Amino acid sequence: MASNSTLDVPHSTSSVTVSIIDATIKMTFPIRPFFNPVVGGVEQLETIAYSFLIEHANGQKLLFDLGARVDFESNAPALVRRLKSFGFNSPSIEKDVATILDEGGMDLRDINAVIWSHHHWDHVGDVSKFPSTTELVVGPGVPKLWPGYPVNQESFVLESDYKGRPTREIDFNNASELGGFRAFDYFGDGSFYLLDTPGHTIGHMSALARTSVSPPSFIFMGGDTCHHAGVFRPSEFVPLPETIIPSPIAPLNATKKLNFCPGEMFLSIHPNHSPTEPFYKIVVDKDGKSLPYIDVDSAYETIAKIQKIDKSENVLVIMAHDASLRDILSYWPTSANTWQADGWKSKGTWRFLADFVSQKVEARY
Ligand SMILES: [Zn+2]
């Protein structure tokens, strides 16, 4: 990987503290409606979801995404019906993010804002558990989805998530540009940006947090721009190495002697045997429609920009559902800011490949 950042981020002396919260969702999703082709015979993938706590030195605290409501059936009825019509089974959700924070000693009155990457059930959580002073921040166009259920019986969102609290719709019209994305400088000091990353839904946003100042490092929170790392890796910027170190299929604590694996092992199951193309493409039907993306062209443009960002050694890319990072990351109350020293990127970049040889997943279906 290149040592220079390809991200053109203006200099800043301000950073934020980022903590990752495991939103305790466990669910499986079928490959075929989302990605093409099936790789390694794996038809379904197990996935999870992350939420992020962002703390600024000025005392402000934000949450980027909230995972899901603990009771799946309490989502908007039209949404529950639609997901079940696809054969989607109720996920297991142990605790919602509000409960995790509360039990960890966080006073929810200290959360200034909840930011939704987008309005889907596995990201919006249960905002009603936060005090009415907690602002809801959404991407462009999302308030057009109001009113939610029950005012609109067919809505996929819930009125209780936004009613009675300040809601801010981010305006990217006069925004600067970062990594090719329109970027909203949230605190005005270069420590935390919201990025306009279209394709998946209306108003989908990602976030870029500065986790250190000198030298600069960042965490890119990709939301649902990609539902699996195989949608954006490998790429011409992050090619599949001839020797993968550490091995994605070895235990994380494997000895150095054993901890490598030939890239050929995965090149052989790559649909085009290409070290520079992602494993998965987006499934598009004959009418040009896709289940995971409302706009496939924009989705591919967004993915192409993320591939460039992914090249930067000082940017850690975390998609909301990247289960391959689960055992590498540390979670709140531990901060994620030391990710570079802790080697999360080098340990995590190719770990998703283990999904393609996972006997555990294969055996279950
Ligand atoms: Zn999602």
Side-chain angles (χ1 to χ4, degrees), residues 25 27 34 47-49 65 117-118 120-123 200 204 223-227 320-321:
I25 303 176
M27 56 184 167
F34 283 81
T47 194
I48 59 171
D65 277 346
S117 65
H118 62 296
H120 283 172
W121 68 277
D122 52 331
H123 298 259
H200 177 52
H204 185 286
D224 279 1
T225 50
C226 301
H227 293 80
H321 301 298

Side-chain angles (χ1 to χ4, degrees), residues 16-27:
V16 285
T17 301
V18 179
S19 307
I20 302 165
I21 300 166
D22 177 349
T24 71
I25 303 176
K26 284 200 185 92
M27 56 184 167

Side-chain angles (χ1 to χ4, degrees), residues 59-80:
Q60 284 208 55
K61 292 180 170 58
L62 319 171
L63 287 163
F64 183 78
D65 277 346
L66 280 187
R69 301 168 71 83
V70 73
D71 176 11
F72 175 71
E73 300 286 336
S74 72
N75 282 290
L79 170 85
V80 173

Side-chain angles (χ1 to χ4, degrees), residues 264-297:
E264 176 56 31
M265 183 177 160
F266 293 97
L267 210 50
S268 65
I269 57 168
H270 188 289
N272 296 329
H273 307 292
S274 166
T276 56
E277 291 172 37
F279 280 84
Y280 287 137
K281 287 199 160 42
I282 301 165
V283 170
V284 181
D285 70 18
K286 58 180 177 11
D287 301 321
K289 291 215 165 62
S290 135
L291 181 63
Y293 297 100
I294 56 163
D295 180 342
V296 176
D297 290 344

Side-chain angles (χ1 to χ4, degrees), residues 9-15 185-193 208-210 218:
V9 186
H11 175 74
S12 167
T13 54
S14 300
S15 59
D185 186 347
Y186 193 91
F187 294 111
D189 61 4
S191 61
F192 183 68
Y193 296 92
L208 185 78
R210 190 182 300 262
F218 304 89

Side-chain angles (χ1 to χ4, degrees), residues 55 138 171 212 233:
E55 297 174 89
V138 297
D171 179 0
S212 66
R233 289 190 199 123

